[in-house]
Amino acid sequence: MNPITRWIRDHMEKYDHNENGFVDRVAEMSIHCLKKKDQAHGKTGRTQLYQKNYASRGDDRHFVAHSTLKASSAGMNSSASALEFYSMQGMKKREEMLKKYSD
């Protein structure tokens, strides 16, 4: 093979290198677009300083499950006490079912 042709072939960029660069550019562009959207529509804009930013707030919305449960530990949906209450209820029911069907 001609040494000049071999040198050109060895030093040319491969297709995979170009394709991987393209994938990286597309990923970076999508990240930049989301940043621009958040900056334009978020609380950081100069016309929306009075609005609250709920994105940084955790899931702290607890609702009363039913009015009859209001005073009990099961009263607050999505809380740790309700989780514990319903877990205990489930364990009791499981034990009852095991006793019932083990006979």
Side-chain angles (χ1 to χ4, degrees), residues 58-74:
D59 188 20
D60 59 353
R61 299 177 299 275
H62 300 294
F63 303 106
V64 175
H66 192 268
S67 61
T68 59
L69 300 172
K70 194 169 189 177
S72 71
S73 62

Side-chain angles (χ1 to χ4, degrees), residues 40-90:
H41 298 291
K43 186 183 160 210
T44 57
R46 64 176 184 249
T47 59
Q48 294 130 351
L49 291 174
Y50 62 92
Q51 295 179 348
K52 289 185 180 180
N53 187 5
Y54 293 106
S56 61
R57 195 174 96 184
D59 188 20
D60 59 353
R61 299 177 299 275
H62 300 294
F63 303 106
V64 175
H66 192 268
S67 61
T68 59
L69 300 172
K70 194 169 189 177
S72 71
S73 62
M76 297 303 277
N77 252 355
S78 306
S79 66
S81 60
L83 172 70
E84 184 178 355
F85 176 81
Y86 289 114
S87 295
M88 294 304 290
Q89 294 287 67

